[in-house]
Amino acid sequence: MKDFFKFMLASMLGFILVITILFFISLGLIMYLMSFSEQKEVVMKENTVIRIEFKDPIPERTLKNDILSTFTSGSLKTVLGLNDIIKNIKNSKNDDRVKGIILNLNIVPSGISTLEEIRMALLDFKKSGKFILCYGEYMTQGAYYLGSVADEIYLHPQGFVDFKGLNAQLMFFKGLLDKLDINMQVVRHGKFKSAVEPFIQEEMSAENREQYTTLVNSIWNSILAQISESRGLSVNELNSIADELKAYEGFEAVNTGLIDAVTYRDEYRQILAGRLQVDDLDNINVISLRQYNRVAKSFPITSSRIAVIYATGQIAGGQGDNESIGADKFAETIARVRKDDNVKAVVLRVNSPGGDALASDIIWRELELCQDVKPVIVSMGDVAASGGYWISCASDRILADPTSLTGSIGVFGVVPDIGKFMGNTLGITYDRVMTNKNSGFPSVVRPLTSFERTVLQKKVEHVYDLFLDRVSGNRDLSREDVDRIGEGRVWSGVDALRLGLIDDFGGLYDAIDLAVEIAGLEEYRLIELPVLKDPIVQLIEDMTSGVYTNVLKAELGPFYRDYTHIQSALEWEGVQARLPVQVVIE
């Protein structure tokens, strides 16, 4: 009888599990079919205004029909990537039906270089003589930086502008690790290679403080120069506003010149009507940028292709996914592009803090082979540092934004010793037998021996020397010059240009234009790689982890970045070439 109830209970649980899985799959299929309504072609009208607003982080490329995000957020949407945002702004510049753009900006949760590329596209749009207006209830610095490109900026009467300057805040875990009796054993090359500092120190080293002070000041000065040009305020005036927090009241923000007026939304619509020279507000045809993305477009009939390969996220072995760079998958993708005669040039879009050094070199080698037969142009996004810079070296030209983070030419290895934690806290001890005297190398439950540490240091030095070779061989710099500007130090795009780490300033489409020019093409079509997974396949693969990730994002909010940083650090294996932290403007 006991066995009967056991089997019956197991059958019931299995049935419930199958029904649950089928429910989620059915839900995904329904949402996927519903999404076709979103993909219907939009018919444009005359006197159209495009509305641009950002409520989600801006990905490098459009993630179509993100069903998992739809399920956890409760809304059906396609989040436009930077690629389509800029493309549509460029298209609207020459579209006679589009009379202007309105920016609705409060919080723009994206990196500063991403915003810089959008801002440059909006500046180019203004050359057409069309207007740009901006409105916000409140504005973070990122939102204001982007909105400052507008002809006029309006703010809710009770709103504020969070204009205060930049700060780089790092989280340190040494105190926690000490309490847990965990010792992080570090070998590294580069006095600025600060990725390991949070595990072995309680505050920044002098070298780390120096590099981040230089970095944030370089980025801030670049931001101020652009705002100064758009708003007619001197850099000194802008710094004074930030120092005194003068824009925290709407009317004060007007008095400082950061914004033009405070107004309610209904009054703002009247201002918009005046711009369009219409009396009836119902005659204003406003469509979102996502809707404009579905307006019918013509494509040239040609077999010539420019391949844009997106290297986004941390670098590791294996296949990776939409948010990470898997060396195996990328090597295969680059090899196919190299052998495709229809692909005349390659643009590698890098937005990566680096990662595994071996995986970085696997990708570098395939790019070097590709470079032998067709032009390879690198476009750096928010960050292309350490391993991200390593893979960038196999290229003909490197473009970056003034605010891009790059360099970080240094390597390190970390071996945690959790032996005391397991013994003192959990009461777990270890013993072993070995065939050879180093069979247990490396171990995470005992300290490294002096010999083992020497072996690891030798490996780190070898990888660092290889890194120097990769950079000096491509950038027309001596190994001594690379070493001098290397040692793990992070640079802004402004400093990278001065030091010879990049060739010029420019965004993704500047890199595409350069690739077209070098390849000598008159007509071409873009292909974007790696191919994104079908939404249903992604749903099935991520049935549990994907939902869990989206719930975490929703619950943790801005702290999700810290969570992912800690999580990735726990997964470090082998010699690493990665940037220590993410730097965002808030």
Side-chain angles (χ1 to χ4, degrees):
M1 182 63 70
K2 185 187 296 184
D3 289 340
F4 170 76
F5 283 111
K6 185 194 303 181
F7 288 124
M8 184 178 70
L9 181 60
S11 299
M12 290 176 61
L13 289 174
F15 177 75
I16 292 172
L17 181 61
V18 170
I19 291 299
T20 302
I21 292 174
L22 288 174
F23 168 76
F24 280 113
I25 292 176
S26 300
L27 182 65
L29 286 169
I30 291 170
M31 288 182 173
Y32 185 56
L33 293 173
M34 288 171 58
S35 72
F36 283 115
S37 64
E38 189 188 53
Q39 300 304 319
K40 287 193 302 185
E41 187 177 297
V42 172
V43 178
M44 286 285 290
K45 299 178 181 178
E46 298 297 326
N47 225 29
T48 291
V49 175
I50 296 176
R51 181 183 69 252
I52 299 178
E53 56 188 347
F54 302 107
K55 297 181 179 179
D56 301 286
I58 301 169
E60 281 291 314
R61 57 196 296 203
T62 300
L63 304 176
K64 295 178 170 55
N65 307 314
D66 189 346
I67 297 175
L68 287 173
S69 295
T70 296
F71 174 72
T72 54
S73 67
S75 61
L76 186 67
K77 61 186 177 183
T78 294
V79 178
L80 287 188
L82 181 65
N83 58 340
D84 283 334
I85 291 170
I86 296 178
K87 179 184 70 177
N88 284 295
I89 293 173
K90 290 169 68 74
N91 289 340
S92 65
K93 174 186 176 183
N94 300 315
D95 189 336
D96 292 336
R97 298 164 297 183
V98 176
K99 304 305 179 185
I101 289 175
I102 54 175
L103 305 172
N104 292 347
L105 303 176
N106 291 316
I107 299 174
V108 187
S110 291
I112 184 63
S113 293
T114 296
L115 302 186
E116 185 168 27
E117 292 199 27
I118 297 172
R119 195 178 188 278
M120 294 304 294
L122 290 170
L123 279 171
D124 183 63
F125 172 88
K126 290 176 67 173
K127 293 177 182 177
S128 66
K130 301 175 183 181
F131 67 84
I132 298 179
L133 299 181
C134 178
Y135 184 85
E137 272 81 27
Y138 58 93
M139 291 186 186
T140 61
Q141 284 190 125
Y144 181 77
Y145 167 64
L146 182 58
S148 64
V149 73
D151 302 301
E152 297 168 7
I153 307 175
Y154 298 95
L155 189 70
H156 188 281
Q158 303 307 315
F160 64 91
V161 181
D162 188 22
F163 193 77
K164 59 190 178 185
L166 303 184
N167 80 98
Q169 180 172 289
L170 279 66
M171 182 186 295
F172 293 84
F173 314 113
K174 185 179 184 299
L176 172 63
L177 295 172
D178 287 345
K179 291 179 184 295
L180 296 175
D181 276 335
I182 296 175
N183 178 35
M184 302 297 280
Q185 304 167 102
V186 174
V187 289
R188 59 177 169 174
H189 185 106
K191 61 184 179 181
F192 292 99
K193 199 62 186 174
S194 54
V196 296
E197 283 192 5
F199 301 105
I200 59 176
Q201 296 183 188
E202 295 181 345
E203 60 184 11
M204 296 183 194
S205 65
E207 293 83 4
N208 202 19
R209 189 174 299 279
E210 175 191 339
Q211 77 163 332
Y212 277 106
T213 299
T214 301
L215 187 66
V216 295
N217 275 294
S218 177
I219 294 173
W220 180 239
N221 289 337
S222 178
I223 291 171
L224 290 183
Q226 295 175 65
I227 294 175
S228 174
E229 184 175 353
S230 293
R231 296 298 301 173
L233 296 168
S234 71
V235 169
N236 287 338
E237 287 175 308
L238 290 171
N239 272 319
S240 176
I241 294 169
D243 287 341
E244 303 299 326
L245 301 179
K246 292 179 181 178
Y248 266 75
E249 293 290 341
F251 290 101
E252 274 194 287
V254 175
N255 292 335
T256 62
L258 283 186
I259 66 170
D260 293 286
V262 292
T263 182
Y264 291 100
R265 277 196 175 272
D266 58 297
E267 297 171 324
Y268 175 62
R269 284 183 60 82
Q270 293 287 352
I271 294 170
L272 177 59
R275 277 282 188 169
L276 293 170
Q277 298 181 337
V278 297
D279 297 326
D280 187 354
L281 294 181
D282 293 333
N283 290 334
I284 301 176
N285 182 44
V286 179
I287 65 172
S288 69
L289 196 64
R290 273 195 294 144
Q291 289 174 309
Y292 188 68
N293 190 53
R294 303 199 307 272
V295 173
K297 302 172 183 69
S298 60
F299 299 96
I301 302 174
T302 176
S303 61
S304 297
R305 301 286 190 268
I306 298 291
V308 182
I309 302 177
Y310 291 88
T312 304
Q314 302 198 47
I315 301 173
Q319 295 297 306
D321 54 33
N322 292 344
E323 296 181 353
S324 65
I325 305 167
D328 293 345
K329 183 176 182 178
F330 264 74
E332 293 168 3
T333 299
I334 297 164
R336 286 199 304 271
V337 166
R338 169 168 55 90
K339 298 172 185 176
D340 188 342
D341 292 335
N342 288 328
V343 175
K344 307 302 181 184
V346 174
V347 172
L348 180 69
R349 173 67 174 188
V350 182
N351 200 339
S352 170
D356 184 81
L358 173 59
S360 300
D361 203 53
I362 290 171
I363 296 171
W364 171 88
R365 175 58 178 169
E366 284 298 333
L367 285 166
E368 184 189 45
L369 294 174
C370 187
Q371 188 188 4
D372 288 339
V373 296
K374 57 191 67 177
V376 176
I377 308 298
V378 167
S379 167
M380 293 182 169
D382 292 315
V383 54
S386 209
Y389 189 77
W390 188 312
I391 66 175
S392 300
C393 287
S395 61
D396 296 280
R397 299 286 294 277
I398 299 177
L399 303 186
D401 299 307
T403 54
S404 295
L405 303 186
T406 189
S408 192
I409 301 167
V411 295
F412 66 90
V414 178
V415 180
D417 173 15
I418 64 172
K420 289 184 179 179
F421 167 73
M422 299 298 286
N424 297 341
T425 305
L426 302 180
I428 298 173
T429 57
Y430 298 84
D431 201 355
R432 66 185 185 275
V433 295
M434 300 187 297
T435 62
N436 295 81
K437 60 182 181 181
N438 289 303
S439 296
F441 168 73
S443 173
V444 297
V445 295
R446 62 170 175 80
L448 291 168
T449 67
S450 59
F451 173 75
E452 289 172 334
R453 184 175 287 276
T454 299
V455 170
L456 285 176
Q457 187 66 49
K458 183 178 178 181
K459 179 63 176 177
V460 165
E461 296 297 338
H462 169 74
V463 175
Y464 181 71
D465 286 341
L466 182 62
F467 203 162
L468 294 183
D469 288 339
R470 298 293 184 245
V471 178
S472 63
N474 176 263
R475 297 304 308 164
D476 194 26
L477 294 168
S478 68
R479 292 179 89 260
E480 292 73 24
D481 286 338
V482 178
D483 189 31
R484 178 176 52 81
I485 61 179
E487 294 199 343
R489 182 157 185 166
V490 185
W491 303 98
S492 70
V494 172
D495 289 327
L497 181 62
R498 172 177 57 83
L499 296 169
L501 292 174
I502 67 172
D503 294 292
D504 205 350
F505 294 140
L508 173 60
Y509 280 86
D510 294 308
I512 292 171
D513 290 342
L514 180 58
V516 171
E517 178 184 341
I518 294 177
L521 300 178
E522 293 186 1
E523 291 190 333
Y524 65 94
R525 295 186 67 173
L526 293 179
I527 56 172
E528 297 185 325
L529 301 168
V531 176
L532 295 173
K533 291 181 179 178
D534 181 88
I536 295 299
V537 173
Q538 191 72 50
L539 174 68
I540 295 172
E541 289 184 357
D542 299 341
M543 185 62 72
T544 55
S545 61
V547 172
Y548 176 70
T549 297
N550 281 284
V551 169
L552 272 179
K553 286 180 179 178
E555 292 297 320
L556 295 178
F559 298 105
Y560 181 73
R561 289 194 305 269
D562 298 324
Y563 166 77
T564 55
H565 183 60
I566 297 170
Q567 184 185 48
S568 67
L570 296 176
E571 298 172 354
W572 292 348
E573 295 181 0
V575 178
Q576 301 291 307
R578 67 171 68 234
L579 186 69
V581 293
Q582 285 183 309
V583 178
V584 295
I585 177 174
E586 296 178 334

